Amino acid sequence: IALTTNGVLLAEQAEDLRTAGLDRLNISLDTLDPAKFERLTRRRLLDRVLVGIDRACDVGFRQIRLNAIAIRGETETDVIPLVEFARERGLELRFIEFMPLDADGRWQPNQVLSGEALREIVAEHFGPLCPAPRADDSQPAVDYLFSDGGRIGFIHPVSQPFCESCNRLRLTAEGQIRNCLFSHNEWDARQLLRGGASDEELRQLVRDAIAAKAAGHGIDTVGFVRPKRAMYQIGG
């Protein structure tokens, strides 16, 4: 069981979450620069997030992943500090290309800092990276190993789409099934559940969502239309 979090409340909740049986944490952390963190997240809470990460380590979480959004012209200088931060604590770090899911709706293709460019930055500082074996062909990240141990991942949905191997469905906080982050349709599981639907009716809802899954997200097509909701509104 995994939890994806911004880490703001981890210091207070990490021990209870671990005791309750939570296995893994995915924590969003795009920068270690306080001013940039405030600009990107609109919150002056970097110190709380860092304390929360250390607290999660202290209470026994052994599977902690840091997710960092990479934005060209904005986060290049954050790459090496983030890698060093993760390696010092034995955490796994994944860089994610900037996608058109931002709250402001201002995403532009020239803001994408590609996975390839990120790997070059990392390799120049830490030495060559070796491709890691893929335990699951459908996983969104391409992982690499450092020569002295440790792993790092890159998720590149814009520069190298992996739609053909994606088998993901997302259940939002409002009980809606989305078959792609960029889908314009949702399937209402909450309505069925609250209406006393049978298990078979729920199964059919999931089948319908899967059957409607598009061949690709279409970011690189002329007619692409971004979804109405930003990533933070989709959740799940």
Side-chain angles (χ1 to χ4, degrees), residues 29-190:
L29 184 65
D30 303 328
T31 179
L32 296 173
D33 180 292
K36 189 180 296 185
F37 183 93
E38 181 179 358
R39 185 168 70 253
L40 292 173
T41 68
R42 299 174 177 82
R43 293 175 173 85
R44 195 177 298 175
L45 296 173
L46 177 60
D47 288 345
R48 289 184 61 179
V49 175
L50 299 182
V51 170
I53 292 172
D54 286 339
R55 179 60 178 158
C57 293
D58 291 342
V59 301
F61 279 101
R62 294 293 175 262
Q63 297 184 66
I64 300 177
R65 178 182 296 146
L66 305 180
N67 290 329
I69 302 296
I71 306 174
R72 184 174 294 281
E74 180 72 78
T75 63
E76 286 92 338
T77 57
D78 299 292
V79 173
I80 300 307
L82 283 170
V83 175
E84 291 176 338
F85 179 87
R87 281 164 58 87
E88 287 170 0
R89 290 161 176 77
L91 310 179
E92 184 178 345
L93 175 64
R94 281 185 172 177
F95 286 105
I96 306 171
E97 290 179 348
F98 188 34
M99 294 180 284
L101 292 168
D102 55 308
D104 296 329
R106 298 178 180 176
W107 177 91
Q108 294 296 326
N110 61 7
Q111 293 177 295
V112 177
L113 182 58
S114 71
E116 183 178 356
L118 288 161
R119 288 196 299 275
E120 290 176 358
I121 294 172
V122 175
E124 184 176 353
H125 188 88
F126 293 97
L129 300 173
C130 177
R134 288 178 71 84
D136 181 357
D137 289 337
S138 70
Q139 73 176 43
V142 178
D143 292 334
Y144 290 80
L145 303 175
F146 293 101
S147 59
D148 59 351
R151 161 187 305 254
I152 187 170
F154 303 90
I155 301 179
H156 34 62
V158 181
S159 67
Q160 300 178 51
F162 45 85
C163 301
E164 73 280 356
S165 62
C166 175
N167 65 359
R168 299 304 201 261
L169 293 177
R170 182 176 295 260
L171 181 65
T172 73
E174 307 104 318
Q176 308 297 308
I177 295 176
R178 293 179 70 93
N179 60 19
C180 175
L181 279 174
F182 297 94
S183 174
H184 293 278
N185 299 312
E186 296 178 337
W187 287 260
D188 195 343
R190 179 176 65 179

